[in-house]
PDB file of all heavy atoms in Angstrom:
ATOM      1  N   GLU A1004      24.382  -3.401 -37.034  1.00 98.00           N
ATOM      2  CA  GLU A1004      23.927  -2.910 -35.735  1.00 98.00           C
ATOM      3  C   GLU A1004      25.032  -2.149 -35.001  1.00 98.00           C
ATOM      4  O   GLU A1004      24.752  -1.161 -34.314  1.00 98.00           O
ATOM      5  CB  GLU A1004      23.417  -4.074 -34.869  1.00 98.00           C
ATOM      6  CG  GLU A1004      22.053  -4.585 -35.293  1.00 98.00           C
ATOM      7  CD  GLU A1004      21.416  -5.501 -34.265  1.00 98.00           C
ATOM      8  OE1 GLU A1004      22.091  -5.849 -33.274  1.00 98.00           O
ATOM      9  OE2 GLU A1004      20.246  -5.866 -34.457  1.00 98.00           O
ATOM     10  N   GLU A1005      26.265  -2.580 -35.144  1.00 98.00           N
ATOM     11  CA  GLU A1005      27.363  -1.858 -34.500  1.00 98.00           C
ATOM     12  C   GLU A1005      27.604  -0.498 -35.158  1.00 98.00           C
ATOM     13  O   GLU A1005      27.919   0.480 -34.485  1.00 98.00           O
ATOM     14  CB  GLU A1005      28.643  -2.693 -34.501  1.00 98.00           C
ATOM     15  CG  GLU A1005      28.596  -3.865 -33.550  1.00 98.00           C
ATOM     16  CD  GLU A1005      28.101  -3.486 -32.168  1.00 98.00           C
ATOM     17  OE1 GLU A1005      28.665  -2.549 -31.567  1.00 98.00           O
ATOM     18  OE2 GLU A1005      27.132  -4.096 -31.694  1.00 98.00           O
ATOM     19  N   VAL A1006      27.462  -0.432 -36.472  1.00 97.00           N
ATOM     20  CA  VAL A1006      27.563   0.861 -37.153  1.00 97.00           C
ATOM     21  C   VAL A1006      26.493   1.807 -36.618  1.00 97.00           C
ATOM     22  O   VAL A1006      26.757   2.989 -36.356  1.00 97.00           O
ATOM     23  CB  VAL A1006      27.421   0.687 -38.677  1.00 97.00           C
ATOM     24  CG1 VAL A1006      27.261   2.053 -39.362  1.00 97.00           C
ATOM     25  CG2 VAL A1006      28.634  -0.037 -39.251  1.00 97.00           C
ATOM     26  N   LEU A1007      25.294   1.296 -36.427  1.00 97.00           N
ATOM     27  CA  LEU A1007      24.184   2.130 -35.954  1.00 97.00           C
ATOM     28  C   LEU A1007      24.325   2.491 -34.482  1.00 97.00           C
ATOM     29  O   LEU A1007      24.291   3.676 -34.116  1.00 97.00           O
ATOM     30  CB  LEU A1007      22.859   1.400 -36.192  1.00 97.00           C
ATOM     31  CG  LEU A1007      21.596   2.081 -35.643  1.00 97.00           C
ATOM     32  CD1 LEU A1007      21.411   3.464 -36.253  1.00 97.00           C
ATOM     33  CD2 LEU A1007      20.368   1.212 -35.895  1.00 97.00           C
ATOM     34  N   PHE A1008      24.492   1.489 -33.621  1.00 97.00           N
ATOM     35  CA  PHE A1008      24.415   1.737 -32.174  1.00 97.00           C
ATOM     36  C   PHE A1008      25.720   2.230 -31.565  1.00 97.00           C
ATOM     37  O   PHE A1008      25.696   3.069 -30.667  1.00 97.00           O
ATOM     38  CB  PHE A1008      23.948   0.469 -31.459  1.00 97.00           C
ATOM     39  CG  PHE A1008      22.519   0.119 -31.755  1.00 97.00           C
ATOM     40  CD1 PHE A1008      22.202  -0.933 -32.603  1.00 97.00           C
ATOM     41  CD2 PHE A1008      21.484   0.850 -31.209  1.00 97.00           C
ATOM     42  CE1 PHE A1008      20.889  -1.244 -32.899  1.00 97.00           C
ATOM     43  CE2 PHE A1008      20.161   0.542 -31.488  1.00 97.00           C
ATOM     44  CZ  PHE A1008      19.863  -0.499 -32.343  1.00 97.00           C
ATOM     45  N   ARG A1009      26.853   1.696 -31.977  1.00 97.00           N
ATOM     46  CA  ARG A1009      28.120   2.165 -31.418  1.00 97.00           C
ATOM     47  C   ARG A1009      28.831   3.162 -32.333  1.00 97.00           C
ATOM     48  O   ARG A1009      29.543   4.036 -31.864  1.00 97.00           O
ATOM     49  CB  ARG A1009      29.038   0.979 -31.121  1.00 97.00           C
ATOM     50  CG  ARG A1009      29.076   0.550 -29.679  1.00 97.00           C
ATOM     51  CD  ARG A1009      27.738   0.134 -29.107  1.00 97.00           C
ATOM     52  NE  ARG A1009      27.179  -1.043 -29.769  1.00 97.00           N
ATOM     53  CZ  ARG A1009      26.037  -1.637 -29.395  1.00 97.00           C
ATOM     54  NH1 ARG A1009      25.331  -1.163 -28.381  1.00 97.00           N
ATOM     55  NH2 ARG A1009      25.594  -2.698 -30.036  1.00 97.00           N
ATOM     56  N   GLY A1010      28.615   3.062 -33.649  1.00 95.00           N
ATOM     57  CA  GLY A1010      29.240   4.011 -34.550  1.00 95.00           C
ATOM     58  C   GLY A1010      28.507   5.335 -34.621  1.00 95.00           C
ATOM     59  O   GLY A1010      29.121   6.386 -34.783  1.00 95.00           O
ATOM     60  N   ALA A1011      27.168   5.302 -34.485  1.00 96.00           N
ATOM     61  CA  ALA A1011      26.372   6.531 -34.609  1.00 96.00           C
ATOM     62  C   ALA A1011      25.785   6.975 -33.273  1.00 96.00           C
ATOM     63  O   ALA A1011      26.076   8.065 -32.785  1.00 96.00           O
ATOM     64  CB  ALA A1011      25.257   6.322 -35.638  1.00 96.00           C
ATOM     65  N   ILE A1012      24.946   6.126 -32.660  1.00 96.00           N
ATOM     66  CA  ILE A1012      24.207   6.547 -31.469  1.00 96.00           C
ATOM     67  C   ILE A1012      25.140   6.792 -30.285  1.00 96.00           C
ATOM     68  O   ILE A1012      25.033   7.816 -29.602  1.00 96.00           O
ATOM     69  CB  ILE A1012      23.124   5.519 -31.121  1.00 96.00           C
ATOM     70  CG1 ILE A1012      22.031   5.541 -32.193  1.00 96.00           C
ATOM     71  CG2 ILE A1012      22.517   5.810 -29.740  1.00 96.00           C
ATOM     72  CD1 ILE A1012      20.939   4.528 -32.007  1.00 96.00           C
ATOM     73  N   LEU A1013      26.066   5.880 -30.016  1.00 96.00           N
ATOM     74  CA  LEU A1013      27.007   6.103 -28.916  1.00 96.00           C
ATOM     75  C   LEU A1013      27.840   7.359 -29.173  1.00 96.00           C
ATOM     76  O   LEU A1013      28.070   8.154 -28.259  1.00 96.00           O
ATOM     77  CB  LEU A1013      27.920   4.893 -28.741  1.00 96.00           C
ATOM     78  CG  LEU A1013      29.003   5.031 -27.662  1.00 96.00           C
ATOM     79  CD1 LEU A1013      28.379   5.264 -26.279  1.00 96.00           C
ATOM     80  CD2 LEU A1013      29.912   3.804 -27.639  1.00 96.00           C
ATOM     81  N   SER A1014      28.267   7.554 -30.410  1.00 94.00           N
ATOM     82  CA  SER A1014      29.043   8.751 -30.742  1.00 94.00           C
ATOM     83  C   SER A1014      28.234  10.017 -30.494  1.00 94.00           C
ATOM     84  O   SER A1014      28.738  10.995 -29.942  1.00 94.00           O
ATOM     85  CB  SER A1014      29.493   8.692 -32.207  1.00 94.00           C
ATOM     86  OG  SER A1014      30.409   7.659 -32.419  1.00 94.00           O
ATOM     87  N   GLY A1015      26.962   9.992 -30.913  1.00 95.00           N
ATOM     88  CA  GLY A1015      26.112  11.151 -30.680  1.00 95.00           C
ATOM     89  C   GLY A1015      25.885  11.424 -29.207  1.00 95.00           C
ATOM     90  O   GLY A1015      25.892  12.581 -28.766  1.00 95.00           O
ATOM     91  N   LEU A1016      25.694  10.362 -28.435  1.00 96.00           N
ATOM     92  CA  LEU A1016      25.496  10.522 -26.990  1.00 96.00           C
ATOM     93  C   LEU A1016      26.749  11.065 -26.313  1.00 96.00           C
ATOM     94  O   LEU A1016      26.659  11.848 -25.363  1.00 96.00           O
ATOM     95  CB  LEU A1016      25.101   9.177 -26.371  1.00 96.00           C
ATOM     96  CG  LEU A1016      23.674   8.694 -26.677  1.00 96.00           C
ATOM     97  CD1 LEU A1016      23.510   7.230 -26.301  1.00 96.00           C
ATOM     98  CD2 LEU A1016      22.644   9.549 -25.945  1.00 96.00           C
ATOM     99  N   LEU A1017      27.912  10.653 -26.790  1.00 95.00           N
ATOM    100  CA  LEU A1017      29.162  11.135 -26.204  1.00 95.00           C
ATOM    101  C   LEU A1017      29.370  12.626 -26.446  1.00 95.00           C
ATOM    102  O   LEU A1017      30.081  13.289 -25.690  1.00 95.00           O
ATOM    103  CB  LEU A1017      30.348  10.341 -26.765  1.00 95.00           C
ATOM    104  CG  LEU A1017      30.514   8.920 -26.221  1.00 95.00           C
ATOM    105  CD1 LEU A1017      31.526   8.140 -27.042  1.00 95.00           C
ATOM    106  CD2 LEU A1017      30.937   8.963 -24.755  1.00 95.00           C
ATOM    107  N   ARG A1018      28.758  13.159 -27.498  1.00 92.00           N
ATOM    108  CA  ARG A1018      28.865  14.596 -27.759  1.00 92.00           C
ATOM    109  C   ARG A1018      27.949  15.392 -26.842  1.00 92.00           C
ATOM    110  O   ARG A1018      28.141  16.584 -26.654  1.00 92.00           O
ATOM    111  CB  ARG A1018      28.516  14.897 -29.219  1.00 92.00           C
ATOM    112  CG  ARG A1018      29.514  14.358 -30.205  1.00 92.00           C
ATOM    113  CD  ARG A1018      29.199  14.728 -31.632  1.00 92.00           C
ATOM    114  NE  ARG A1018      29.293  16.169 -31.861  1.00 92.00           N
ATOM    115  CZ  ARG A1018      29.390  16.723 -33.073  1.00 92.00           C
ATOM    116  NH1 ARG A1018      29.420  15.944 -34.150  1.00 92.00           N
ATOM    117  NH2 ARG A1018      29.466  18.026 -33.208  1.00 92.00           N
ATOM    118  N   ARG A1019      26.935  14.738 -26.281  1.00 93.00           N
ATOM    119  CA  ARG A1019      25.958  15.425 -25.441  1.00 93.00           C
ATOM    120  C   ARG A1019      26.169  15.149 -23.957  1.00 93.00           C
ATOM    121  O   ARG A1019      25.935  16.022 -23.115  1.00 93.00           O
ATOM    122  CB  ARG A1019      24.539  14.994 -25.855  1.00 93.00           C
ATOM    123  CG  ARG A1019      23.418  15.649 -25.084  1.00 93.00           C
ATOM    124  CD  ARG A1019      23.250  17.122 -25.429  1.00 93.00           C
ATOM    125  NE  ARG A1019      22.909  17.290 -26.825  1.00 93.00           N
ATOM    126  CZ  ARG A1019      21.666  17.255 -27.304  1.00 93.00           C
ATOM    127  NH1 ARG A1019      20.654  17.033 -26.487  1.00 93.00           N
ATOM    128  NH2 ARG A1019      21.443  17.441 -28.579  1.00 93.00           N
ATOM    129  N   PHE A1020      26.599  13.921 -23.613  1.00 94.00           N
ATOM    130  CA  PHE A1020      26.712  13.519 -22.211  1.00 94.00           C
ATOM    131  C   PHE A1020      28.117  13.017 -21.898  1.00 94.00           C
ATOM    132  O   PHE A1020      28.945  12.843 -22.792  1.00 94.00           O
ATOM    133  CB  PHE A1020      25.703  12.414 -21.892  1.00 94.00           C
ATOM    134  CG  PHE A1020      24.281  12.751 -22.246  1.00 94.00           C
ATOM    135  CD1 PHE A1020      23.668  12.171 -23.351  1.00 94.00           C
ATOM    136  CD2 PHE A1020      23.562  13.651 -21.478  1.00 94.00           C
ATOM    137  CE1 PHE A1020      22.355  12.484 -23.683  1.00 94.00           C
ATOM    138  CE2 PHE A1020      22.251  13.976 -21.807  1.00 94.00           C
ATOM    139  CZ  PHE A1020      21.648  13.392 -22.910  1.00 94.00           C
ATOM    140  N   GLY A1021      28.362  12.758 -20.628  1.00 94.00           N
ATOM    141  CA  GLY A1021      29.613  12.161 -20.205  1.00 94.00           C
ATOM    142  C   GLY A1021      29.669  10.694 -20.596  1.00 94.00           C
ATOM    143  O   GLY A1021      28.642  10.089 -20.938  1.00 94.00           O
ATOM    144  N   PRO A1022      30.865  10.082 -20.531  1.00 95.00           N
ATOM    145  CA  PRO A1022      31.025   8.686 -20.957  1.00 95.00           C
ATOM    146  C   PRO A1022      30.111   7.707 -20.234  1.00 95.00           C
ATOM    147  O   PRO A1022      29.531   6.820 -20.874  1.00 95.00           O
ATOM    148  CB  PRO A1022      32.501   8.394 -20.655  1.00 95.00           C
ATOM    149  CG  PRO A1022      33.161   9.728 -20.700  1.00 95.00           C
ATOM    150  CD  PRO A1022      32.152  10.700 -20.157  1.00 95.00           C
ATOM    151  N   PHE A1023      29.963   7.827 -18.908  1.00 97.00           N
ATOM    152  CA  PHE A1023      29.140   6.880 -18.152  1.00 97.00           C
ATOM    153  C   PHE A1023      27.694   6.899 -18.640  1.00 97.00           C
ATOM    154  O   PHE A1023      27.113   5.852 -18.963  1.00 97.00           O
ATOM    155  CB  PHE A1023      29.187   7.201 -16.660  1.00 97.00           C
ATOM    156  CG  PHE A1023      28.278   6.328 -15.824  1.00 97.00           C
ATOM    157  CD1 PHE A1023      28.671   5.056 -15.458  1.00 97.00           C
ATOM    158  CD2 PHE A1023      27.020   6.780 -15.426  1.00 97.00           C
ATOM    159  CE1 PHE A1023      27.834   4.240 -14.697  1.00 97.00           C
ATOM    160  CE2 PHE A1023      26.182   5.974 -14.681  1.00 97.00           C
ATOM    161  CZ  PHE A1023      26.585   4.698 -14.310  1.00 97.00           C
ATOM    162  N   LEU A1024      27.100   8.083 -18.692  1.00 97.00           N
ATOM    163  CA  LEU A1024      25.702   8.193 -19.103  1.00 97.00           C
ATOM    164  C   LEU A1024      25.525   7.799 -20.565  1.00 97.00           C
ATOM    165  O   LEU A1024      24.529   7.160 -20.927  1.00 97.00           O
ATOM    166  CB  LEU A1024      25.200   9.622 -18.872  1.00 97.00           C
ATOM    167  CG  LEU A1024      23.691   9.863 -19.056  1.00 97.00           C
ATOM    168  CD1 LEU A1024      22.893   8.918 -18.158  1.00 97.00           C
ATOM    169  CD2 LEU A1024      23.352  11.313 -18.745  1.00 97.00           C
ATOM    170  N   ALA A1025      26.489   8.145 -21.406  1.00 97.00           N
ATOM    171  CA  ALA A1025      26.408   7.798 -22.823  1.00 97.00           C
ATOM    172  C   ALA A1025      26.407   6.283 -23.015  1.00 97.00           C
ATOM    173  O   ALA A1025      25.629   5.744 -23.812  1.00 97.00           O
ATOM    174  CB  ALA A1025      27.570   8.430 -23.588  1.00 97.00           C
ATOM    175  N   VAL A1026      27.261   5.590 -22.280  1.00 97.00           N
ATOM    176  CA  VAL A1026      27.332   4.124 -22.375  1.00 97.00           C
ATOM    177  C   VAL A1026      26.020   3.497 -21.910  1.00 97.00           C
ATOM    178  O   VAL A1026      25.468   2.602 -22.572  1.00 97.00           O
ATOM    179  CB  VAL A1026      28.515   3.590 -21.549  1.00 97.00           C
ATOM    180  CG1 VAL A1026      28.406   2.074 -21.362  1.00 97.00           C
ATOM    181  CG2 VAL A1026      29.837   3.937 -22.224  1.00 97.00           C
ATOM    182  N   VAL A1027      25.482   3.960 -20.775  1.00 98.00           N
ATOM    183  CA  VAL A1027      24.248   3.396 -20.231  1.00 98.00           C
ATOM    184  C   VAL A1027      23.068   3.665 -21.162  1.00 98.00           C
ATOM    185  O   VAL A1027      22.257   2.772 -21.442  1.00 98.00           O
ATOM    186  CB  VAL A1027      23.969   3.973 -18.829  1.00 98.00           C
ATOM    187  CG1 VAL A1027      22.577   3.561 -18.345  1.00 98.00           C
ATOM    188  CG2 VAL A1027      25.025   3.499 -17.841  1.00 98.00           C
ATOM    189  N   LEU A1028      22.957   4.889 -21.659  1.00 98.00           N
ATOM    190  CA  LEU A1028      21.845   5.239 -22.540  1.00 98.00           C
ATOM    191  C   LEU A1028      21.924   4.477 -23.864  1.00 98.00           C
ATOM    192  O   LEU A1028      20.901   4.029 -24.392  1.00 98.00           O
ATOM    193  CB  LEU A1028      21.827   6.746 -22.802  1.00 98.00           C
ATOM    194  CG  LEU A1028      21.420   7.627 -21.621  1.00 98.00           C
ATOM    195  CD1 LEU A1028      21.534   9.101 -21.986  1.00 98.00           C
ATOM    196  CD2 LEU A1028      20.000   7.306 -21.167  1.00 98.00           C
ATOM    197  N   SER A1029      23.124   4.333 -24.404  1.00 97.00           N
ATOM    198  CA  SER A1029      23.261   3.590 -25.666  1.00 97.00           C
ATOM    199  C   SER A1029      22.862   2.131 -25.474  1.00 97.00           C
ATOM    200  O   SER A1029      22.236   1.525 -26.354  1.00 97.00           O
ATOM    201  CB  SER A1029      24.698   3.689 -26.195  1.00 97.00           C
ATOM    202  OG  SER A1029      25.608   2.973 -25.366  1.00 97.00           O
ATOM    203  N   ALA A1030      23.202   1.560 -24.322  1.00 98.00           N
ATOM    204  CA  ALA A1030      22.813   0.179 -24.031  1.00 98.00           C
ATOM    205  C   ALA A1030      21.306   0.054 -23.876  1.00 98.00           C
ATOM    206  O   ALA A1030      20.698  -0.934 -24.319  1.00 98.00           O
ATOM    207  CB  ALA A1030      23.513  -0.309 -22.765  1.00 98.00           C
ATOM    208  N   ALA A1031      20.678   1.053 -23.252  1.00 98.00           N
ATOM    209  CA  ALA A1031      19.226   1.029 -23.071  1.00 98.00           C
ATOM    210  C   ALA A1031      18.506   1.118 -24.412  1.00 98.00           C
ATOM    211  O   ALA A1031      17.516   0.418 -24.651  1.00 98.00           O
ATOM    212  CB  ALA A1031      18.801   2.184 -22.167  1.00 98.00           C
ATOM    213  N   VAL A1032      19.002   1.967 -25.307  1.00 97.00           N
ATOM    214  CA  VAL A1032      18.408   2.081 -26.640  1.00 97.00           C
ATOM    215  C   VAL A1032      18.582   0.768 -27.397  1.00 97.00           C
ATOM    216  O   VAL A1032      17.639   0.261 -28.020  1.00 97.00           O
ATOM    217  CB  VAL A1032      19.048   3.245 -27.431  1.00 97.00           C
ATOM    218  CG1 VAL A1032      18.557   3.254 -28.874  1.00 97.00           C
ATOM    219  CG2 VAL A1032      18.738   4.577 -26.763  1.00 97.00           C
ATOM    220  N   PHE A1033      19.781   0.206 -27.341  1.00 97.00           N
ATOM    221  CA  PHE A1033      20.076  -1.054 -28.021  1.00 97.00           C
ATOM    222  C   PHE A1033      19.144  -2.169 -27.554  1.00 97.00           C
ATOM    223  O   PHE A1033      18.591  -2.928 -28.363  1.00 97.00           O
ATOM    224  CB  PHE A1033      21.538  -1.430 -27.753  1.00 97.00           C
ATOM    225  CG  PHE A1033      21.929  -2.799 -28.235  1.00 97.00           C
ATOM    226  CD1 PHE A1033      22.041  -3.079 -29.584  1.00 97.00           C
ATOM    227  CD2 PHE A1033      22.208  -3.820 -27.324  1.00 97.00           C
ATOM    228  CE1 PHE A1033      22.417  -4.342 -30.028  1.00 97.00           C
ATOM    229  CE2 PHE A1033      22.588  -5.079 -27.754  1.00 97.00           C
ATOM    230  CZ  PHE A1033      22.689  -5.342 -29.108  1.00 97.00           C
ATOM    231  N   ALA A1034      18.958  -2.296 -26.245  1.00 97.00           N
ATOM    232  CA  ALA A1034      18.095  -3.348 -25.701  1.00 97.00           C
ATOM    233  C   ALA A1034      16.632  -3.088 -26.019  1.00 97.00           C
ATOM    234  O   ALA A1034      15.873  -4.022 -26.307  1.00 97.00           O
ATOM    235  CB  ALA A1034      18.301  -3.462 -24.197  1.00 97.00           C
ATOM    236  N   SER A1035      16.217  -1.829 -25.983  1.00 96.00           N
ATOM    237  CA  SER A1035      14.801  -1.483 -26.174  1.00 96.00           C
ATOM    238  C   SER A1035      14.327  -1.754 -27.589  1.00 96.00           C
ATOM    239  O   SER A1035      13.194  -2.223 -27.790  1.00 96.00           O
ATOM    240  CB  SER A1035      14.573  -0.011 -25.825  1.00 96.00           C
ATOM    241  OG  SER A1035      14.863   0.247 -24.468  1.00 96.00           O
ATOM    242  N   VAL A1036      15.154  -1.460 -28.597  1.00 95.00           N
ATOM    243  CA  VAL A1036      14.693  -1.599 -29.983  1.00 95.00           C
ATOM    244  C   VAL A1036      14.508  -3.055 -30.386  1.00 95.00           C
ATOM    245  O   VAL A1036      13.893  -3.333 -31.418  1.00 95.00           O
ATOM    246  CB  VAL A1036      15.653  -0.907 -30.969  1.00 95.00           C
ATOM    247  CG1 VAL A1036      15.745   0.585 -30.684  1.00 95.00           C
ATOM    248  CG2 VAL A1036      17.029  -1.545 -30.944  1.00 95.00           C
ATOM    249  N   HIS A1037      15.002  -4.001 -29.580  1.00 91.00           N
ATOM    250  CA  HIS A1037      14.778  -5.408 -29.896  1.00 91.00           C
ATOM    251  C   HIS A1037      13.381  -5.866 -29.493  1.00 91.00           C
ATOM    252  O   HIS A1037      12.948  -6.960 -29.878  1.00 91.00           O
ATOM    253  CB  HIS A1037      15.844  -6.275 -29.214  1.00 91.00           C
ATOM    254  CG  HIS A1037      17.179  -6.199 -29.891  1.00 91.00           C
ATOM    255  ND1 HIS A1037      18.060  -5.147 -29.685  1.00 91.00           N
ATOM    256  CD2 HIS A1037      17.802  -7.032 -30.769  1.00 91.00           C
ATOM    257  CE1 HIS A1037      19.154  -5.343 -30.406  1.00 91.00           C
ATOM    258  NE2 HIS A1037      19.029  -6.475 -31.067  1.00 91.00           N
ATOM    259  N   LEU A1038      12.695  -5.049 -28.699  1.00 86.00           N
ATOM    260  CA  LEU A1038      11.263  -5.244 -28.404  1.00 86.00           C
ATOM    261  C   LEU A1038      10.952  -6.584 -27.727  1.00 86.00           C
ATOM    262  O   LEU A1038       9.884  -7.155 -27.936  1.00 86.00           O
ATOM    263  CB  LEU A1038      10.426  -5.118 -29.682  1.00 86.00           C
ATOM    264  CG  LEU A1038      10.569  -3.784 -30.446  1.00 86.00           C
ATOM    265  CD1 LEU A1038       9.762  -3.836 -31.739  1.00 86.00           C
ATOM    266  CD2 LEU A1038      10.124  -2.627 -29.574  1.00 86.00           C
ATOM    267  N   VAL A1039      11.879  -7.096 -26.937  1.00 85.00           N
ATOM    268  CA  VAL A1039      11.640  -8.340 -26.189  1.00 85.00           C
ATOM    269  C   VAL A1039      11.906  -8.046 -24.711  1.00 85.00           C
ATOM    270  O   VAL A1039      13.060  -7.922 -24.303  1.00 85.00           O
ATOM    271  CB  VAL A1039      12.532  -9.496 -26.672  1.00 85.00           C
ATOM    272  CG1 VAL A1039      12.174 -10.777 -25.914  1.00 85.00           C
ATOM    273  CG2 VAL A1039      12.385  -9.704 -28.169  1.00 85.00           C
ATOM    274  N   VAL A1040      10.842  -7.928 -23.934  1.00 85.00           N
ATOM    275  CA  VAL A1040      10.966  -7.506 -22.540  1.00 85.00           C
ATOM    276  C   VAL A1040      11.795  -8.491 -21.719  1.00 85.00           C
ATOM    277  O   VAL A1040      12.655  -8.088 -20.921  1.00 85.00           O
ATOM    278  CB  VAL A1040       9.573  -7.329 -21.903  1.00 85.00           C
ATOM    279  CG1 VAL A1040       9.699  -7.007 -20.417  1.00 85.00           C
ATOM    280  CG2 VAL A1040       8.807  -6.227 -22.618  1.00 85.00           C
ATOM    281  N   LEU A1041      11.555  -9.788 -21.906  1.00 87.00           N
ATOM    282  CA  LEU A1041      12.215 -10.789 -21.077  1.00 87.00           C
ATOM    283  C   LEU A1041      13.723 -10.856 -21.304  1.00 87.00           C
ATOM    284  O   LEU A1041      14.466 -11.267 -20.418  1.00 87.00           O
ATOM    285  CB  LEU A1041      11.588 -12.166 -21.308  1.00 87.00           C
ATOM    286  CG  LEU A1041      10.164 -12.356 -20.768  1.00 87.00           C
ATOM    287  CD1 LEU A1041       9.644 -13.746 -21.110  1.00 87.00           C
ATOM    288  CD2 LEU A1041      10.114 -12.125 -19.263  1.00 87.00           C
ATOM    289  N   THR A1042      14.178 -10.485 -22.496  1.00 91.00           N
ATOM    290  CA  THR A1042      15.617 -10.526 -22.764  1.00 91.00           C
ATOM    291  C   THR A1042      16.264  -9.144 -22.625  1.00 91.00           C
ATOM    292  O   THR A1042      17.458  -8.997 -22.923  1.00 91.00           O
ATOM    293  CB  THR A1042      15.899 -11.073 -24.177  1.00 91.00           C
ATOM    294  OG1 THR A1042      15.218 -10.258 -25.148  1.00 91.00           O
ATOM    295  CG2 THR A1042      15.435 -12.514 -24.300  1.00 91.00           C
ATOM    296  N   PHE A1043      15.504  -8.159 -22.150  1.00 94.00           N
ATOM    297  CA  PHE A1043      16.063  -6.817 -21.976  1.00 94.00           C
ATOM    298  C   PHE A1043      17.296  -6.822 -21.066  1.00 94.00           C
ATOM    299  O   PHE A1043      18.306  -6.181 -21.397  1.00 94.00           O
ATOM    300  CB  PHE A1043      15.004  -5.863 -21.428  1.00 94.00           C
ATOM    301  CG  PHE A1043      15.498  -4.443 -21.260  1.00 94.00           C
ATOM    302  CD1 PHE A1043      15.341  -3.521 -22.276  1.00 94.00           C
ATOM    303  CD2 PHE A1043      16.132  -4.055 -20.084  1.00 94.00           C
ATOM    304  CE1 PHE A1043      15.812  -2.215 -22.133  1.00 94.00           C
ATOM    305  CE2 PHE A1043      16.604  -2.758 -19.923  1.00 94.00           C
ATOM    306  CZ  PHE A1043      16.444  -1.841 -20.960  1.00 94.00           C
ATOM    307  N   PRO A1044      17.272  -7.522 -19.916  1.00 95.00           N
ATOM    308  CA  PRO A1044      18.463  -7.503 -19.047  1.00 95.00           C
ATOM    309  C   PRO A1044      19.719  -8.004 -19.754  1.00 95.00           C
ATOM    310  O   PRO A1044      20.802  -7.420 -19.611  1.00 95.00           O
ATOM    311  CB  PRO A1044      18.067  -8.425 -17.889  1.00 95.00           C
ATOM    312  CG  PRO A1044      16.576  -8.364 -17.856  1.00 95.00           C
ATOM    313  CD  PRO A1044      16.164  -8.274 -19.290  1.00 95.00           C
TER     314      PRO A1044
END
């Protein structure tokens, strides 16, 4: 999961957005793909 979300997705987001937005968006993707609404926070 770290290879996928921080090694690939975060890296890709950093090439498109600034660090703040890249970190927030990568966290949102990471939480969303687990498909559990109650544990999203």
Side-chain angles (χ1 to χ4, degrees):
E1004 285 193 353
E1005 288 312 306
V1006 169
L1007 175 59
F1008 291 106
R1009 260 59 63 177
I1012 291 177
L1013 177 60
S1014 293
L1016 287 167
L1017 285 168
R1018 292 183 65 163
R1019 181 71 62 87
F1020 306 106
F1023 176 81
L1024 189 56
V1026 166
V1027 171
L1028 289 176
S1029 69
V1032 173
F1033 172 71
S1035 297
V1036 299
H1037 285 80
L1038 303 176
V1039 183
V1040 175
L1041 290 178
T1042 57
F1043 182 92

